[in-house]
Amino acid sequence: MNSRESLPQPLNPLGIDGIEFVEYATREPLKFGAVLEMLGFVLVARHRSREVLLYRQGQMNVIVNADAGIAGDSQPPTLMALALRVRDASFAYKHTVELGAWPIPTRAGAMELNIPGIHAVGETIIYFVDRYQDFSIYDVDFKFLPGVDHAPKAVANMHFFGVVQAIGSGRSADWLDFYDHLLGFRNLPKGEYFGILPKGTLLESPCKKFYIQLIEPPEGSDDVVWDEEWLRLGIGTPDVLAATKELRERGVVFVDRENLHTSERGALTQFYLNGVAFEFVHSHLQPVR
Amino acid sequence: MNLDHFGMDTITLAGPLEAKLRAIRAAGFTQVMLMARDLVGHPAGFAAAVAEVKASGLRVTGFQVMRDFEGLSGPLHDYKVDIVKSMLQMAKAVSAPMLLVCSSTSSMATGERAALVRDLQALAMLAVPLGIKVGYEALSWGRFVNEYPQSWEIVAEADRANLGIVVDSFHILANRTSFEHIDEIDSAKIALVQLSDFMWRDIENAEHRIETARHLRVFPGEGVHSHELADLVRRLDRIGYRGDYSFEVFNDDYQQMPLDLVGRRARDSAKWVTDQVLRRSLPVRGPGVAAHAAQSR
C-alpha cells in the first residue's frame, strides 16, 4: 500500500473513478448502431443471451439495449443507465440505499453478472462497477466479435464528458442534494460552464472526471413537455473543431444556426431517430484509463 | 391571500371520496389535502380513486399521513422504509407535491437527534426522484418531538431542499407552545400550514389531547383560540410564508352533517382567516378618509 492509497477520501466516499459505460434503450438497435458508427463507435461485442450490443471507441463503452422487456416503447433511443466506476460496488450500493436511494431489482439471469444499481431520474439507473482494472465486466455476459479490433481508437481523443439532465421547475436544489449527498458531486460556481449551451447547474463528479448538468425548463415554457430525464450524452475532446471535421466527413450533421453553432468550445449534433442528440465539449479532461 | 390559498381536508367530511371532492369544489375551494385511506378504501380500487381526484379539477395540497417513521432501528426501521416508499408512490400517483410525516409516538424509537436527522434525510432523498417534498410535523403527543421548535431544529439540521416543517395550529395550541419561535423559521422551509381550533382552553393530559385532536377540532374562527390563531397566521404572514393553508379538522359532528354545510363552514373559516391577515396588512385609515367613506355611503 502506498501513502496515497492510505489517505482517507472524505469527498469521494464511494471512490468514484469515472464512467464505465452508458446504456441506451431502443427498439431500433440497427439504426441507432448506424448513428453510433457514424460517431466513431465500433460494434465490438454482443450479449450472450439478450439483444444487447456493446459499442466502443477509446475508453467509451456504449451499451445498446434492445431487450424488449427493458426498452419498452422508448422512442427515440433513450439514455437509460450510467455505470460508475467505484472502489467497491457492493459498498456503494449499500451505502447509497442507506442514505435513501431506491435500489433496482436485480436484472441478472442465470450465470449473468449482477451489477448493483440505484434509480436515478425518471426511469434511469445508476450502476456501480468495481471490476474495471484487472477484469472486464463484459467478459461474463458478452461475446466479442471475431475479426474486430476490441479496443478501437477514439476519434480526436474523444471521451465521456457527462450527461445533461432535464429537471422540473425549481428542482435544481433537490437534484443537487441527490448527486451531492448520495454520490459526492460538487456544485460548480455559477458562470463555470463548458460547451456552447451554458445554462443550468453544473455538477462535478468527486473524481473530477465527468459532469452532470441540470437544466430546468426555460421561462415561459409552461406548455412545453419537460419530463425529468437524461437528455443527452456529452462527449469531450481536446479539439472540437478537429473532431467535428472528422465526424462531418463520416456523415454527422451538427446544428448550425444563429445562436447555436459549432465552435472551439463545443458543438451539438442534430436529432437522430426522432430525438437523440450528442453534445461535444472542449475538454480539459484526459480519457479515463 | 384569497380562497385559492386554502384547502379542505378529506378527513373532515363523511361519505365516499367522490362526494367529498365534489363538496370541496362546490364550496369554492381549489385544493384538497388527501388522506391515504380515502384512496385505498375506494370500492373500485386505488387507480379509480386517483382518477376521481384528477377528474375533480382540485389541486392536491399534500398526502397524509406517515406515522412513527423516524428513530427506529433494525427490522422495524426497514419495514417503515418499505411503508414510506409505498406512501411516496401513492403520493406520486395522485400528483401530491408533499408527503406529511408526523413525529413518532413509538415506544420503540430513539429520541437521539442524530438518528432522527439521519432518517429524515434518507426519507427526503427517497422523495427526490419522485418530485415530492416531505413535511415533518410535531405531533403534540409525539414521544420525543412534540413542539414545532423541535421539528424545525431537526429539519434545519437535516438541511435537505425538499424537507420542510408542517405547522399545525392544533398541536401548538394544545401544548401551549409559544409563538415566539415562529420568527426563527425560514418561511421557505414551511411545507404546509394546517389550521384548526377546539372548544376549550384546558387540556388535562395526553389522552385528552389525542381525543380532542381526533374528534373535536373545529374550523378557525369557531373555537376558543381565535385570538391566538389570528396571531399565529399574522406571524406566518410576517415571516413571508405564502404557501398553502389546509383545514385539518377532525370532528365527529361534521362527520354526520351534510357535506355542503360543512363546506360552507370551511369557506366561512377561510374568509375569517383572510380577514385576520388583511386587518393587519391594510393601512390604518385616518379620520378624514373614514369620514369621506361614511359620507359617500
Side-chain angles (χ1 to χ4, degrees):
Chain A
M1 183 184 287
N2 63 37
S3 61
R4 187 155 175 258
E5 284 171 334
S6 65
L7 286 172
Q9 296 185 333
L11 299 176
N12 190 2
L14 307 185
I16 291 174
D17 188 26
I19 297 172
E20 174 59 27
F21 67 80
V22 300
E23 182 173 351
Y24 282 88
T26 178
R27 283 195 158 177
E28 298 182 299
L30 290 178
K31 285 184 183 170
F32 186 51
V35 173
L36 289 175
E37 283 172 358
M38 210 158 52
L39 291 162
F41 289 91
V42 176
L43 176 63
V44 296
R46 291 176 184 278
H47 197 276
R48 291 177 190 276
S49 60
R50 301 173 193 235
E51 200 178 350
V52 177
L53 309 165
L54 171 61
Y55 286 82
R56 181 178 278 173
Q57 69 169 307
Q59 299 300 313
M60 291 188 287
N61 294 300
V62 174
I63 288 177
V64 176
N65 191 337
D67 193 308
I70 293 167
D73 290 324
S74 59
Q75 285 271 1
T78 308
L79 191 49
M80 63 162 282
L82 195 58
L84 305 183
R85 294 178 167 187
V86 295
R87 188 171 46 241
D88 178 340
S90 174
F91 169 79
Y93 174 78
K94 283 184 198 148
H95 183 70
T96 51
V97 168
E98 260 173 31
L99 292 178
W102 293 71
I104 57 155
T106 178
R107 276 167 45 191
M111 303 301 288
E112 288 183 340
L113 191 65
N114 176 30
I115 304 180
I118 58 172
H119 285 285
V121 62
E123 302 297 314
T124 67
I125 295 167
I126 291 174
Y127 287 115
F128 300 118
V129 173
D130 56 12
R131 297 176 175 180
Y132 59 92
Q133 280 163 338
D134 309 326
F135 173 80
S136 153
I137 53 166
Y138 312 105
D139 293 338
V140 178
D141 294 340
F142 285 84
K143 204 169 177 178
F144 280 84
L145 303 181
V148 176
D149 180 3
H150 297 163
K153 199 165 167 284
V155 172
N157 283 317
M158 292 185 334
H159 48 270
F160 286 137
F161 191 81
V163 168
V164 180
Q165 176 176 329
I167 58 172
S169 185
R171 291 263 287 153
S172 293
D174 294 357
W175 281 106
L176 176 58
D177 274 349
F178 180 91
Y179 286 108
D180 175 0
H181 296 292
L182 280 188
L183 302 169
F185 278 64
R186 185 176 72 98
N187 186 10
L188 289 180
K190 286 281 173 206
E192 195 168 334
Y193 289 113
F194 305 99
I196 54 171
L197 299 165
K199 57 181 176 180
T201 302
L202 196 60
L203 311 179
E204 183 180 58
S205 72
C207 56
K208 301 184 191 302
K209 290 179 177 174
F210 66 102
Y211 299 87
I212 305 261
Q213 189 176 12
L214 305 174
I215 310 280
E216 292 191 20
E219 277 183 36
S221 62
D222 295 345
D223 51 346
V224 176
V225 177
W226 190 269
D227 292 333
E228 293 202 330
E229 61 181 339
W230 285 332
L231 278 181
R232 61 180 173 269
L233 181 65
I235 293 175
T237 170
D239 189 341
V240 175
L241 296 179
T244 51
K245 179 171 183 291
E246 187 169 345
L247 293 176
R248 272 199 188 93
E249 286 165 7
R250 298 174 70 100
V252 177
V253 177
F254 290 90
V255 173
D256 195 6
R257 50 177 192 254
E258 194 180 343
N259 56 351
L260 188 65
H261 53 83
T262 300
S263 75
E264 289 172 359
R265 287 182 61 82
L268 182 70
T269 71
Q270 69 170 31
F271 281 132
Y272 288 98
L273 304 178
N274 297 318
V276 62
F278 298 85
E279 185 174 346
F280 291 83
V281 179
H282 172 72
S283 169
H284 58 287
L285 303 175
Q286 294 299 312
V288 175
R289 297 289 172 202
Chain B
M1 190 184 268
N2 57 47
L3 198 55
D4 285 344
H5 293 99
F6 295 88
M8 284 189 71
D9 195 310
T10 52
I11 53 102
T12 308
L13 298 166
L17 177 66
E18 192 178 3
K20 294 182 182 195
L21 297 170
R22 200 166 46 232
I24 292 169
R25 181 97 198 190
F29 290 95
T30 54
Q31 54 177 310
V32 58
M33 182 78 185
L34 295 170
M35 179 67 119
R37 66 166 176 256
D38 277 315
L39 285 90
V40 297
H42 193 285
F46 180 73
V50 170
E52 273 178 15
V53 172
K54 297 204 166 161
S56 75
L58 290 166
R59 172 165 71 84
V60 178
T61 313
F63 193 76
Q64 61 177 343
V65 55
M66 184 65 207
R67 297 185 192 280
D68 298 334
F69 175 77
E70 75 282 21
L72 300 170
S73 55
L76 196 47
H77 167 81
D78 296 346
Y79 162 78
K80 280 291 186 180
V81 169
D82 253 7
I83 298 298
V84 86
K85 283 179 176 174
S86 298
M87 293 288 284
L88 286 167
Q89 284 168 325
M90 284 193 283
K92 165 93 174 166
V94 75
S95 301
M98 192 265 298
L99 174 68
L100 194 155
V101 180
C102 284
S103 60
S104 182
T105 62
S106 171
S107 60
M108 308 300 289
T110 174
E112 188 196 337
R113 170 73 68 87
L116 307 185
V117 167
R118 189 172 60 236
D119 288 346
L120 287 175
Q121 286 174 331
L123 202 173
M125 187 64 80
L126 281 168
V128 167
L130 280 65
I132 294 171
K133 288 186 187 300
V134 174
Y136 184 51
E137 173 182 314
L139 209 60
S140 52
W141 58 92
R143 184 156 175 237
F144 298 105
V145 175
N146 42 44
E147 297 192 280
Y148 76 89
Q150 296 169 303
S151 54
W152 166 240
E153 279 178 21
I154 290 169
V155 162
E157 188 173 333
D159 192 21
R160 290 293 183 269
N162 65 337
L163 176 66
I165 71 160
V166 172
V167 175
D168 186 315
S169 64
F170 174 84
H171 298 297
I172 299 175
L173 296 170
N175 271 350
R176 299 187 170 191
T177 310
S178 165
F179 293 166
E180 295 298 317
H181 305 285
I182 293 287
D183 293 347
E184 295 158 16
I185 300 174
D186 173 1
S187 64
K189 300 292 282 180
I190 300 178
L192 178 65
V193 175
Q194 293 189 306
L195 297 177
S196 62
D197 198 352
F198 51 105
M199 302 302 284
W200 41 81
R201 297 209 74 87
D202 294 318
I203 289 190
E204 290 146 17
N205 51 42
E207 286 70 34
H208 192 203
R209 199 154 51 231
I210 295 172
E211 175 71 11
T212 307
R214 291 189 174 157
H215 305 283
L216 295 158
R217 299 198 205 188
V218 292
F219 290 109
E222 297 181 336
V224 299
H225 302 88
S226 290
H227 176 75
E228 290 94 326
L229 264 174
D231 184 17
L232 176 66
V233 174
R234 284 184 203 137
R235 283 172 187 266
L236 289 164
D237 188 65
R238 199 164 60 220
I239 65 167
Y241 178 69
R242 298 292 180 266
D244 296 324
Y245 289 86
S246 179
F247 292 133
E248 176 85 337
V249 178
F250 292 84
N251 181 309
D252 287 355
D253 294 319
Y254 295 166
Q255 286 278 331
Q256 50 182 4
M257 278 169 64
L259 276 54
D260 59 332
L261 284 186
V262 182
R264 214 173 299 156
R265 295 181 86 105
R267 193 178 53 205
D268 290 347
S269 180
K271 184 171 183 321
W272 181 85
V273 176
T274 307
D275 286 348
Q276 305 314 304
V277 177
L278 283 180
R279 199 167 294 162
R280 180 191 64 80
S281 54
L282 279 180
V284 178
R285 287 180 172 177
V289 177
H292 176 78
Q295 280 169 6
S296 63
R297 271 189 214 122

